[in-house]
Amino acid sequence: MNFDDLAPRTRAVAAGRPDEPGQPLNTPLVPASTFLAGAGFKYAREDGTPTWLALEETVGAIEGGHAIAFASGIATAAAVLDLLDVGAEVAVPVYSYAGTRGLLDHAAAKGRLKVRRVEPSDQAGWLAAAREADVVWVESPTNPTLDLIDIAGLTGHRARVVVDNTFATPLGQQPLALGADIVVHSATKLIGGHSDLLLGLTIAADEGVAQELRDARTRGGATPGALEAWLALRGLRTLPVRLAEQSRTAALLAPRLGEHPAVTKVRYPGQGTMIAFDLADAGAADKLCASLRLIRHATSLGGVESIVERRAMWPGDAHVPAGLVRFSVGLEDPEDLWRDLSQALT
Ligand SMILES: *Cc1c(COP(=O)(O)O)cnc(C)c1O
């Protein structure tokens, strides 16, 4: 089927399905390591499985490229870095997902890669990196400070543009259409949507690059589980409604937080399901997390349940303001969420 004329939300529902008469409507969960010899699939780590392929086809159709599924978001990032020569330079936002920065710092400490840190708002710095470095690793919006970086402005220069699209989701932003080369996702978050799996996805504009990434998966062995791939595809089918509804609630709550006297700053890019807000200090933020009743105190994000976390509690996020609370807005009634926030802020 040709998806070119279909909206991204339609692709999320319609792509990646069997289309021969008599086949199941949905690709079933296929727990298989090996396949009968002679045609098609041989060994799952190399060729994938029907379950992975259905997920890959669907995400690829939405993002407009060739998708490969990995064991986790970080496994995806590791595979993208695995394509680089020793000594390659990677530019990364100063404030961005700590796990990715940890991966880069480790590679730099071992002498494998050079890392350049750029303030998300430093447009000249990003442009210089796009002209001089080998890779610009863009995260937009960034985790957890929700800064935005101009993706289109960085494409067409020397550096390969890699975009961590986890916060925006494939429906909120399609970086390949903006000229980026590679997209990575932690499908653990909004794509899975139910906080019950770990999975990563990468989508490359170029089939040759996609094959290199598939080879990196075969070499490194960071393959997704059958159940996880099946659950992630099931989650992706309802992403359009979850994203719309959770974003609507976030848009309602962000200004209310901004007006609350205990909140010193709200970080909200105007759309999406994530809000971050600053309280006076670490103590105030910890107290808030402990006082919430409906909103759960846990790490991670993107599920149907609302979650908060004081991000600076993690060692890798030491640069994040001590009182910053990251708020992943779920599917609960917005007024129930606001009542819980108000009582905890007081
Ligand atoms: C969680 C996250 C990752 C890492 O994904 P895992 O699935 O936990 O390995 C990468 N990037 C961002 C923006 C994330 O939020």
Side-chain angles (χ1 to χ4, degrees):
M1 184 167 179
N2 183 1
F3 294 99
D4 291 352
D5 296 332
L6 300 175
R9 62 177 287 188
T10 308
R11 299 180 195 199
V13 174
R17 292 181 179 280
D19 58 6
E20 296 293 319
Q23 289 185 318
L25 183 63
N26 289 289
T27 301
L29 198 166
V30 183
S33 57
T34 190
F35 297 81
L36 294 173
F41 298 100
K42 291 187 283 296
Y43 188 61
R45 178 161 52 73
E46 307 209 352
D47 307 316
T49 70
T51 319
W52 304 3
L53 258 58
L55 171 65
E56 291 171 348
E57 250 180 70
T58 309
V59 170
I62 306 172
E63 292 273 13
H66 311 274
I68 304 109
F70 282 83
S72 67
I74 276 296
T76 307
V80 173
L81 298 183
D82 189 56
L83 305 190
L84 302 179
D85 293 331
V86 170
E89 188 183 9
V90 180
V92 64
V94 178
Y95 314 102
S96 59
Y97 181 65
T100 309
R101 284 184 293 108
L103 195 64
L104 285 165
D105 287 346
H106 181 74
K110 294 287 183 189
R112 291 189 206 121
L113 296 176
K114 289 203 263 305
V115 179
R116 180 193 298 214
R117 298 187 190 292
V118 185
E119 285 282 338
S121 63
D122 179 4
Q123 283 197 22
W126 280 109
L127 196 58
R131 292 194 173 123
E132 294 155 17
D134 297 284
V135 169
V136 287
W137 191 287
V138 176
E139 203 178 277
S140 185
T142 55
N143 180 359
T145 46
L146 295 164
D147 295 301
L148 301 178
I149 298 165
D150 171 21
I151 297 168
L154 301 180
T155 64
H157 299 287
R158 176 177 190 273
R160 183 175 273 180
V161 177
V162 180
V163 179
D164 185 329
N165 208 24
T166 299
F167 272 34
T169 85
L171 297 174
Q173 168 171 277
Q174 286 107 33
L176 300 185
L178 301 173
D181 301 287
I182 297 177
V183 170
V184 300
H185 280 285
S186 171
T188 308
K189 315 291 169 55
L190 279 133
I191 291 178
H194 296 74
S195 309
D196 54 7
L197 62 90
L198 284 164
L199 194 131
L201 288 161
T202 179
I203 306 98
D206 182 78
E207 169 52 31
V209 174
Q211 190 54 48
E212 284 182 59
L213 288 162
R214 232 171 264 127
D215 292 345
R217 180 178 68 184
T218 301
R219 264 197 313 276
T223 53
L227 177 62
E228 284 76 3
W230 186 82
L231 281 172
L233 178 54
R234 193 183 163 101
L236 188 55
R237 300 291 190 211
T238 58
L239 178 62
V241 278
R242 286 187 287 107
L243 182 67
E245 192 61 26
Q246 292 172 227
S247 299
R248 198 176 0 255
T249 302
L252 203 93
L253 297 180
R256 291 194 197 175
L257 282 165
E259 283 160 19
H260 198 284
V263 175
T264 57
K265 180 170 184 169
V266 173
R267 304 158 190 271
Y268 171 65
Q271 58 179 332
T273 64
M274 299 299 298
I275 302 172
F277 54 94
D278 297 14
L279 300 182
D281 51 31
D286 283 337
K287 199 160 170 215
L288 175 90
C289 294
S291 309
L292 289 163
R293 296 177 196 135
L294 173 63
I295 301 171
R296 310 317 300 263
H297 181 201
T299 196
S300 200
L301 58 105
V304 294
E305 60 290 306
S306 292
I307 280 178
V308 289
E309 182 177 46
R310 183 171 78 79
R311 277 308 287 184
M313 66 178 269
W314 293 88
D317 269 346
H319 60 277
V320 169
L324 182 145
V325 176
R326 189 180 67 187
F327 178 19
S328 173
V329 179
L331 267 184
E332 303 90 341
D333 185 282
E335 297 309 329
D336 287 335
L337 293 174
W338 179 243
R339 261 193 301 280
D340 196 27
L341 280 168
S342 321
Q343 66 79 19
L345 284 165
T346 313

